[in-house]
Amino acid sequence: MKAAWYERKGPAREVLTVGERPTPEPAAGEVRVRIHRSAVNPSDTKQRGGHRGNVVMPFPLVIPHQDGAGIIDAVGTGVPSARIGERVWVYEATLGRFWGTAAQYSVVPEHKAVRLPENTAFEAGACMGIPAMTAHRCVMADGPVAGKTVLVTGGAGSVGWYAVQIARLEGARVIATVSRDEQAERAREAGAHEVINYRNQPVAQRLAEITGAQGGVDRVVEVAFGANLATNVAALRTGGVIASYASDAVPDPSLPFWPMLSKDLTARFVLVYAMSRTAHDEAAAWITRALEAGSLRHQFYKTFALDDIAGAHEATESMSHVGKVIVATD
């Protein structure tokens, strides 16, 4: 089978190889998926690049990418044969494993291959793993949001885009922050009631104006925890929650204990790889219902051929575009 892989960490064009690898066989409790589309996530490129000094290879060889979508073509012992032929989306393919979705075939534990409704394209299915599951956890982990005000920072990003939609579909009033006009347009398309461009608008002032009558926001879905912490603490109402999945700009932030204590605030840190099986299953069930109903919108930047996987990784790392980078493996 055709696949991409790396045997050492470093820049995409220096370490990624495309060629032939043996087709894997599913072990007990696993399914083999003929991958049609593979999504590139920032964690995929960071893992390959040795982010934060993590240059040790977890395996001698890694086929990258956690997320993908395709059709089950073989099952291992203990998995119903009826699953053969099922359209699925795959998540966390390389969590503790080396066989990711940047290949024509991938093997994963059965529960990590989730049924993909017929009305949903493989491109969209490939986006459901890290982005949509993270978004669901951030929005819903602390209870229903109906009637609440949810602030989503980075509302046009991979996770933020779905967080805006989930919060809106669950009955929240949604405010999104962005850095460009194109992103503002996308955030509105996702369902944001209000959009703040933090490059040219005072975020704290605008949040106070928007939420003045109710005294602040109830929840924050945060992509830059350290950088936005002071603003979020000021903007949150008593009993509010910050659910954060990233803090790249300020990787080791200090907590303003007394201001957070005075409001009885909760800081929740969301890492999809560390989420419980229950949280994964709840997210997968919500996503399946939304896909079946046609309620979710998806945004794509470009689909790359597997032969140009280095270009796909570089596009993801550039952060200069809006929309998901996809790799076609068929």
Side-chain angles (χ1 to χ4, degrees):
M1 68 162 195
K2 191 173 184 179
W5 69 88
Y6 57 92
E7 298 175 75
R8 61 185 176 89
K9 296 190 177 185
R13 292 194 184 276
E14 294 182 15
V15 302
L16 284 169
T17 298
V18 178
E20 291 294 320
R21 303 295 307 176
T23 301
E25 294 296 330
E30 295 182 340
V31 298
R32 184 174 70 193
V33 180
R34 173 60 173 95
I35 299 294
H36 288 274
R37 294 293 184 271
S38 178
V40 188
N41 289 291
S43 61
D44 297 318
T45 62
K46 290 176 180 178
Q47 186 67 258
R48 183 224 72 236
H51 181 63
R52 300 192 74 182
N54 182 18
V55 296
V56 177
M57 288 289 293
F59 302 96
L61 175 149
V62 172
I63 295 174
H65 301 181
Q66 300 279 3
D67 297 342
I71 299 173
I72 294 175
D73 83 321
V75 298
T77 305
V79 180
S81 60
R83 294 209 69 184
I84 295 176
E86 182 180 324
R87 302 173 79 250
V88 295
W89 55 274
V90 171
Y91 68 89
E92 294 173 4
T94 60
L95 181 59
R97 303 160 67 89
F98 70 89
W99 213 290
T101 65
Q104 290 179 320
Y105 293 90
S106 184
V107 289
V108 294
E110 179 189 10
H111 70 275
K112 291 189 175 182
V114 183
R115 181 178 62 85
L116 182 66
E118 292 292 333
N119 66 344
T120 307
F122 289 129
E123 286 84 355
C127 299
M128 294 299 98
I130 291 173
M133 287 185 133
T134 299
H136 180 271
R137 181 69 172 166
C138 286
V139 174
M140 302 301 297
D142 294 280
V145 295
K148 297 184 180 297
T149 298
V150 176
L151 168 64
V152 179
T153 65
S158 294
V159 174
W161 166 262
Y162 288 112
V164 169
Q165 294 184 73
I166 293 169
R168 178 69 184 255
L169 289 168
E170 287 294 317
R173 182 189 187 196
V174 184
I175 306 168
T177 65
V178 299
S179 62
R180 303 196 305 271
D181 290 342
E182 180 187 9
Q183 293 175 340
E185 182 179 344
R186 293 296 181 87
R188 291 189 182 93
E189 289 174 1
H193 295 87
E194 302 280 353
V195 178
I196 302 170
N197 185 328
Y198 66 82
R199 299 287 188 191
N200 54 35
Q201 293 178 285
V203 176
Q205 179 180 324
R206 287 291 296 126
L207 286 171
E209 292 169 352
I210 293 168
T211 65
Q214 66 191 59
V217 303
D218 299 287
R219 307 272 179 88
V220 180
V221 177
E222 184 56 70
V223 68
F225 181 79
N228 295 331
L229 184 56
T231 298
N232 289 337
V233 169
L236 279 161
R237 300 175 66 186
T238 298
V241 178
I242 305 170
S244 180
Y245 57 94
S247 188
D248 288 349
V250 184
D252 298 301
S254 298
L255 289 178
F257 177 78
W258 291 109
M260 294 184 72
L261 177 68
S262 69
K263 287 188 172 182
D264 189 27
L265 300 183
T266 297
R268 172 179 292 279
F269 303 105
V270 177
L271 179 64
V272 68
Y273 307 120
M275 280 166 36
S276 69
R277 173 68 184 274
T278 298
H280 279 94
D281 289 348
E282 289 174 351
W286 190 98
I287 290 166
T288 297
R289 292 192 299 270
L291 291 176
E292 288 177 334
S295 300
L296 288 179
R297 304 183 68 171
H298 315 283
Q299 54 176 352
F300 308 104
Y301 167 61
K302 184 178 179 180
T303 297
F304 291 77
L306 186 58
D307 284 328
D308 191 20
I309 189 171
H313 276 226
E314 290 169 347
T316 300
E317 290 170 322
S318 75
M319 304 293 287
S320 61
H321 59 271
V322 177
K324 199 69 178 172
V325 172
I326 302 293
V327 174
T329 57
D330 52 12

